[in-house]
Amino acid sequence: INGDFAKGTVDVEFGVVDVKFGELVDAIGKESEEWFDSNAVVDGKIWQPRHVFADSVMYNAFAYSSLPINSQIIKIDTVRLPQNGKVPIFRRGDSILISNSKTQDLGSAFQGGQTVNLSRNDVDRICLKDSNDKPINAQLWDYDLEAGTITWATPLDLSSYQMPIIATHSQEERNRVLEVDISGQLKLLEPVMRDYPLEDTYVSSLLIGDNLQVRHSIPFTQRNWDGVWRDEPQGEQLLNRLNLTDYPMTLTDDGAITQDWLIKFTSASQFEVYGDTLGYVGQFDILTDLAPINPATSKPYFTINKSAFGGSAGQSASWASHDVIRFKTWGTLMPVWILCSAQPTNKVQKGTDGFKYCFYGDTTEV
């Protein structure tokens, strides 16, 4: 509230109004007034209150009601959802990303070895696409983030792309939220590294994935499987084991997933592989390396050397039908739930609505 003789605030969620009547006047000459307080003088001004009758104050108010949401439909507990549909995305201590992105038409004529200057230097990320939004193969160009340039490879073949080439370059940095104000203002822990223009600059929330590394548990064996995915053996246990000491299991970032695995023997040399969420994966044998393929990446979920099963040509590996090997693998994928909430309205939607998400991380190649 900011009127000529009234100032204050309204808490629309709880219906609480805090308003004071009066105006700012020059403090000089008001020292004898009963309401004068020298500590309240700011830049030579002081608030002079005005007395009003309570029954002369009028206001308009609107009440909102919402339809109940079925928890069974949206699959989450609606008790935790705010009534106004707004969910806080910034909290004290959260990590955020400040980003400003610009697009630039680079043209249609390029030569191998040519260096192209972007419209600004000191950028943190560059992306090249053709006019059909098809990404340009990273092997065809190199970049200098500090100088704000890209250099085309030699030889250069862009015949599979539709001209012109569009560059998207971004200036961005991560920071931490120190305080969150109800007005929407954020107080940051560290000063920003550069001045960002107001246009096309956004503050985004971040989900921290921590350290992600492929790994597996120690396999165990048992005589039969009771259909329950446990982390320890049940019932009769076997003396036979996978020899992963001499023949370690191999996992890669682009193939491994988080999964409980079951190797179930159907004979002395053949077995079936199951995953707790994948179900039946395939039938294999101990005469070849076990490397079930992840269809999403065309890479093995894991690889177990055939020698890890024991035995060799002409010798028995001591496995029998219904013998079971159980273990777990963990991939580097971080599961994220994305939930979009749309409020009911009689207005016709105009244009499109959506969002972008981007993955950031430090990787180590071994």
Side-chain angles (χ1 to χ4, degrees):
I1 301 174
N2 189 13
D4 293 336
F5 300 103
K7 296 184 183 298
T9 59
V10 178
D11 189 325
V12 296
E13 183 175 358
F14 297 100
V16 178
V17 180
D18 182 10
V19 61
K20 60 181 180 179
F21 297 93
E23 61 180 328
L24 284 174
V25 297
D26 292 330
I28 298 177
K30 302 295 190 299
E31 294 83 358
S32 61
E33 299 290 344
E34 60 179 357
W35 45 263
F36 183 84
D37 183 359
S38 59
N39 295 324
V41 178
V42 178
D43 296 332
K45 299 286 186 178
I46 190 172
W47 182 263
Q48 178 180 343
R50 288 194 174 202
H51 299 290
V52 298
F53 291 104
D55 56 2
S56 68
V57 179
M58 301 181 64
Y59 64 92
N60 292 327
F62 296 89
Y64 292 90
S65 61
S66 58
L67 296 175
I69 302 176
N70 191 330
S71 300
Q72 298 298 322
I73 296 178
I74 63 175
K75 305 302 181 183
I76 59 176
D77 186 1
T78 57
V79 175
R80 303 183 62 183
L81 296 178
Q83 293 297 321
N84 59 7
K86 295 182 179 180
V87 179
I89 61 173
F90 301 118
R91 298 177 178 85
R92 183 176 182 179
D94 282 357
S95 295
I96 62 170
L97 180 73
I98 305 171
S99 177
N100 176 267
S101 298
K102 295 183 180 296
T103 58
Q104 180 179 346
D105 187 337
L106 300 183
S108 304
F110 306 101
Q111 297 178 351
Q114 177 186 0
T115 297
V116 180
N117 293 312
L118 301 177
S119 59
R120 60 181 176 179
N121 55 9
D122 186 27
V123 296
D124 298 286
R125 182 161 51 92
I126 302 174
C127 178
L128 298 185
K129 295 184 178 181
D130 69 0
S131 59
N132 291 331
D133 210 32
K134 178 181 178 181
I136 307 299
N137 191 326
Q139 295 180 347
L140 297 178
W141 57 285
D142 201 357
Y143 58 88
D144 187 327
L145 296 177
E146 184 175 354
T149 62
I150 64 168
T151 302
W152 294 106
T154 302
L156 179 65
D157 182 8
L158 297 174
S159 59
S160 61
Y161 300 98
Q162 185 68 36
M163 298 295 147
I165 302 299
I166 307 298
T168 301
H169 43 87
S170 304
Q171 291 180 330
E172 54 196 19
E173 62 182 279
R174 280 179 271 187
N175 212 314
R176 298 285 296 276
V177 176
L178 185 61
E179 292 181 7
V180 180
D181 191 82
I182 193 173
S183 65
Q185 292 185 346
L186 303 177
K187 185 177 181 180
L188 305 182
L189 182 64
E190 301 290 343
V192 294
M193 297 185 298
R194 57 171 72 93
D195 292 330
Y196 291 91
L198 181 61
E199 184 180 4
D200 297 326
T201 297
Y202 296 92
V203 177
S204 305
S205 57
L206 295 178
L207 291 175
I208 306 300
D210 210 349
N211 294 328
L212 302 175
Q213 184 177 6
V214 293
R215 63 193 189 278
H216 66 83
S217 65
I218 299 176
F220 61 84
T221 59
Q222 60 189 54
R223 180 63 64 189
N224 292 287
W225 188 55
D226 58 3
V228 180
W229 297 94
R230 296 187 178 92
D231 295 335
E232 63 281 332
Q234 297 292 320
E236 182 182 356
Q237 301 180 36
L238 305 178
L239 295 177
N240 212 6
R241 296 286 191 275
L242 277 179
N243 182 7
L244 298 185
T245 302
D246 298 323
Y247 309 99
M249 185 187 306
T250 302
L251 298 99
T252 60
D253 290 344
D254 53 0
I257 63 173
T258 301
Q259 190 81 182
D260 282 89
W261 297 99
L262 168 69
I263 298 177
K264 182 179 180 181
F265 279 85
T266 57
S267 68
S269 60
Q270 293 186 328
F271 54 82
E272 297 172 339
V273 175
Y274 296 86
D276 66 322
T277 62
L278 294 177
Y280 177 75
V281 175
Q283 185 168 342
F284 306 88
D285 58 61
I286 64 174
L287 303 179
T288 56
D289 293 343
L290 174 57
I293 298 299
N294 183 341
T297 62
S298 299
K299 302 293 183 180
Y301 290 116
F302 57 85
T303 301
I304 299 178
N305 191 296
K306 61 183 179 181
S307 299
F309 290 95
S312 58
Q315 296 182 353
S316 172
S318 300
W319 298 103
S321 180
H322 299 295
D323 286 352
V324 168
I325 303 174
R326 280 273 292 108
F327 61 92
K328 280 187 173 184
T329 59
W330 288 269
T332 56
L333 297 178
M334 183 183 72
V336 176
W337 284 84
I338 298 177
L339 178 64
C340 179
S341 176
Q343 298 296 322
T345 178
N346 57 358
K347 296 181 180 180
V348 179
Q349 179 178 340
K350 297 181 180 179
T352 59
D353 185 23
F355 65 94
K356 292 182 179 180
Y357 62 91
C358 186
F359 293 98
Y360 294 83
D362 301 319
T363 60
T364 301
E365 295 186 3
V366 179

